[in-house]
Amino acid sequence: TVTVTGRLSSTDPNLQNIPVRLPEGRQIRRAFVPNHDGWQIFSSDYSQVELRVLAHITGDKNLQEDFKNGEDIHASTARRIFHLPADAPIDRNMRRRAKAVNFGIVYGISDYGLAQRIHVSRAQAHEFIQNYFHEFPGVEKYIHDTIAYAKEHGYVETITHRRRYLPDINAKSFSRRSFAERTAMNTPIQGSAADIIKIAMIRMQRELAKRHLQAKMLLQIHDELVFEAPKEEIPVLQKLVPQVMDSAVKLDVPLKVDSKFGDTWYDLKK
C-alpha cells in the first residue's frame, strides 16, 4: 500500500510485472499454475477504467455518449480529432495515435511529448490536442478547474474523497510546479480507478465466503483480478466476478469487465 496513487504494489517478487506484451516474455506465465489438481486460473479486468472514470468526473457529454453507446473509444476519438465521418474506417495507426492522445491528455502531455510518442510534427501534435479539447470540452474544463482547486486548497481528491496533498502546486520552480499540476490532473483519475478495484476486491472476498466457494483471489494487477478455482466453479466466477466488479461503484458510464480462464496463467482465454 505504499504507492502515492493508491494502487497496490507487489514486491519480492513483483508479480504485477510478469511479461505480457512479447511472445517470449509471455512464456514465463506458463510457470504459474493453480495450487491444486483440477483447478484453473481465472482473470477479470476492467476495460479502459481510467477513461471511463474521466468521462464520469468531467461530465463530458461526447465522452459519456461514446461509452454509453459501446463505442471503441480510441476509434471514436480518432474520428473526432481527425474530423472523419461517424462510420469512417479507422486503421491501426490512426487508432494508435488517438489512443496516445486519450491517455496522454490526463497525464498532461505536451505537444512536444505527444509528437515524440506518435512520431508526428509538433504542429500536428498541437492540432490533435486542440481538436481533442474542441470535441471533449468537459475534459479541458476539468483540467483547468482541477488545477485551480489544487492551487487554492493544496490537494485533490478521488471519487471516494481520498486526498492527495500537493506541496509543490504553488512552487516558484517551473518544473516542480508543472509536475504538481500534472499530478493534480491525473490523481482523481488514476486514484479513483485504484479505489474502484479495491472496493471490488473487498466485495468479491465477501461473496466468495458467503457462497462457500473454494476459489481464491490471488493477485491484483492494476485493473485486473486473478483467481484460482476448481474447474466446476469457473462458470460461477464467469457470472459473479464481472457482476461484483461492474457494481463496485456507480458511475455515469457503464463499467466493462472482460474475463478469461485457463490451466496456466499463460493459457487464459475468453
Side-chain angles (χ1 to χ4, degrees):
T1 58
V2 298
T3 64
V4 289
T5 60
R7 290 190 180 278
L8 298 180
S9 67
S10 174
T11 54
D12 301 323
N14 181 354
L15 294 169
Q16 294 174 329
N17 214 24
I18 306 303
V20 69
R21 294 191 185 281
L22 298 176
E24 297 92 332
R26 278 200 298 275
Q27 294 292 334
I28 294 171
R29 294 184 171 223
R30 290 187 188 277
F32 291 84
V33 299
N35 203 32
H36 309 282
D37 292 336
W39 285 41
Q40 290 186 310
I41 302 290
F42 180 90
S43 162
S44 287
D45 71 289
Y46 285 115
S47 172
Q48 299 166 335
V49 65
E50 289 190 10
L51 294 179
R52 291 172 192 270
V53 169
L54 179 69
H56 171 80
I57 287 180
T58 63
D60 186 90
K61 296 294 182 260
N62 286 342
L63 198 54
Q64 290 190 1
E65 186 181 316
D66 286 346
F67 278 120
K68 287 175 181 175
N69 293 339
E71 301 278 352
D72 173 342
I73 195 65
H74 301 313
S76 178
T77 298
R79 292 187 186 96
R80 290 180 182 278
I81 65 176
F82 300 137
H83 300 308
L84 299 172
D87 57 350
I90 300 298
D91 63 34
R92 287 180 65 183
N93 192 45
M94 292 166 72
R95 188 179 184 278
R96 181 182 64 82
R97 288 179 172 182
K99 183 176 181 179
V101 175
N102 269 332
F103 285 112
I105 289 293
V106 293
Y107 286 92
I109 199 166
S110 64
D111 50 13
Y112 175 77
L114 182 62
Q116 294 290 106
R117 187 172 298 181
I118 62 176
H119 308 296
V120 297
S121 71
R122 192 167 179 176
Q124 280 180 297
H126 178 77
E127 184 183 351
F128 293 160
I129 291 172
Q130 292 308 114
N131 288 350
Y132 180 96
F133 285 140
H134 180 265
E135 292 293 328
F136 303 113
V139 177
E140 185 173 30
K141 183 177 186 301
Y142 157 79
I143 289 171
H144 292 314
D145 289 353
T146 301
I147 292 172
Y149 182 94
K151 286 181 181 296
E152 182 180 351
H153 296 89
Y155 65 84
V156 290
E157 290 185 334
T158 69
I159 57 175
T160 63
H161 303 295
R162 184 165 54 81
R163 291 182 182 181
R164 182 172 179 184
Y165 287 90
L166 302 162
D168 287 338
I169 194 68
N170 292 306
K172 290 181 180 177
S173 162
F174 174 79
S175 60
R176 285 167 56 196
R177 188 176 68 252
S178 296
F179 181 78
E181 288 176 358
R182 291 194 298 273
T183 303
M185 291 160 51
N186 179 248
T187 292
I189 310 302
Q190 194 177 45
S192 295
D195 292 348
I196 289 169
I197 198 162
K198 285 193 285 191
I199 291 167
M201 291 171 74
I202 292 167
R203 293 187 179 176
M204 193 64 234
Q205 191 58 41
R206 286 178 188 154
E207 287 294 326
L208 293 178
K210 187 171 86 174
R211 294 164 187 262
H212 304 292
L213 295 171
Q214 297 180 70
K216 291 181 180 175
M217 186 162 37
L218 299 176
L219 185 63
Q220 182 248 72
I221 309 172
H222 310 313
D223 305 322
E224 176 185 9
L225 295 181
V226 182
F227 302 78
E228 63 175 6
K231 283 183 181 179
E232 58 271 20
E233 289 186 7
I234 295 296
V236 178
L237 294 184
Q238 283 181 297
K239 291 182 179 178
L240 180 62
V241 181
Q243 191 177 36
V244 171
M245 291 175 70
D246 277 351
S247 60
V249 297
K250 183 79 175 79
L251 299 182
D252 292 336
V253 297
L255 287 169
K256 184 171 181 285
V257 177
D258 297 316
S259 299
K260 297 174 284 190
F261 63 93
D263 292 334
T264 75
W265 200 2
Y266 175 86
D267 295 319
L268 297 188
K269 293 182 177 63
K270 289 186 180 181

